[in-house]
Amino acid sequence: MKDLQFNRHRRLRNNETIRAMVRETTLHTNDLIYPIFVAEGSKIRNPISSMPGVYQLSLDNLGEEIDEVVALGIPSVILFGIPLEKDAEGTQAYHDHGIIQEAIRFVKERQPNLMVIADTCLCEYTDHGHCGIIENGQVLNDPTLDLLARTAIAQAKAGADIIAPSNMMDGFVAAIRYGLDEAGFAHLPIMSYAVKYASAYYGPFRDAANSTPQFGDRKSYQMDYANRNEAMREATSDVEEGADFLIVKPALSYLDIVRDVKNNFDIPVVAYNVSGEYAMVKAAAQNGWIDEEKIVLETLTSMKRAGADLIMTYHAKDVARWLGAK
Ligand code: PBG
Ligand code: ZN
């Protein structure tokens, strides 16, 4: 035994103080973006059964939620609108008084320093549930771009701080950048859902946003989950077109992609810890099968370790509480 040669890695793990000194990755409340579902109407506070702790809220119930987010020190929210009326062209997405525009105005008035990110897509506003215009059962690319640019401009006029297009049409960043610049919003950043996979992990979100496609699926525009090189092509296009942030979505099953994006591009990377990832953790925690706090902190730290600068997560309020208590 005396002459045995080996390295003593455990020296740096001896106690919590030294572990904290050598820790490579830290999760901060500043990293968090909290998604909120805003429903048109009044007195709405509908729990989403597959997402315990998450609600559809009408504007009269939004104030409390927003104040809580700010009090917890979370710097930003991303808003999703649920309109009363849907139609084939998703008119309510770009109407100046659509629910999303009203929600943006409300939040900016109440909490001017909270960064409001607007999700820019049509699927919550179309009666067919697809993210673009439909003709003969196909989602049309170029005619959809025009509506996305109009949506982004309407959101910008309402006071959105960041535009986050999530529809996966080709050229959507170029079209939105051009539209925003023409309308006098050259200063507004675009947080592009650059790498968005066609994923079963969005199931609970579609319940929450009433946005399940009425026919077919989203595979002709969202990416095949088997592909990695394609993620680089998507991200490259979005950077060329003027994206200021790159989102990878979902997060947990795609940490390799988060790392690839981080290594290949020098703009901030955002991981979207999506609804299905949240639902799985909540279900297991409610059964007492896992320790929710420990699982969530480990999971979100792994996203940062993979290269995410920011994380969109339904756990944000809980995480802010847990980090604040440490
Ligand atoms: C809209 C959109 C979706 C999500 C964010 N924006 C759903 C989809 O593409 O079907 C999913 C978010 C989540 O699952 O938490 N295009
Ligand atoms: Zn969509």
Side-chain angles (χ1 to χ4, degrees), residues 119-124 129-131 166-167 196 218 221-222:
D119 184 87
T120 306
C121 201
L122 299 179
C123 53
E124 295 129 63
H130 276 288
C131 306
S166 65
N167 52 93
K196 179 172 177 180
R218 301 207 204 290
Y221 42 107
Q222 298 180 352

Side-chain angles (χ1 to χ4, degrees), residues 254-291:
Y254 299 86
L255 294 183
D256 54 334
I257 308 300
V258 173
R259 174 47 60 191
D260 281 344
V261 171
K262 182 66 180 173
N263 286 351
N264 284 284
F265 302 93
D266 56 5
I267 61 176
V269 177
V270 185
Y272 198 144
N273 175 218
V274 300
S275 58
E277 300 171 37
Y278 177 83
M280 293 193 303
V281 169
K282 283 299 208 184
Q286 286 186 345
N287 274 297
W289 295 341
I290 56 167
D291 178 325

Side-chain angles (χ1 to χ4, degrees), residues 106-119:
F106 176 88
V107 175
K108 287 311 292 184
E109 190 146 312
R110 186 156 180 130
Q111 294 287 359
N113 296 326
L114 184 67
M115 286 291 105
V116 173
I117 305 174
D119 184 87

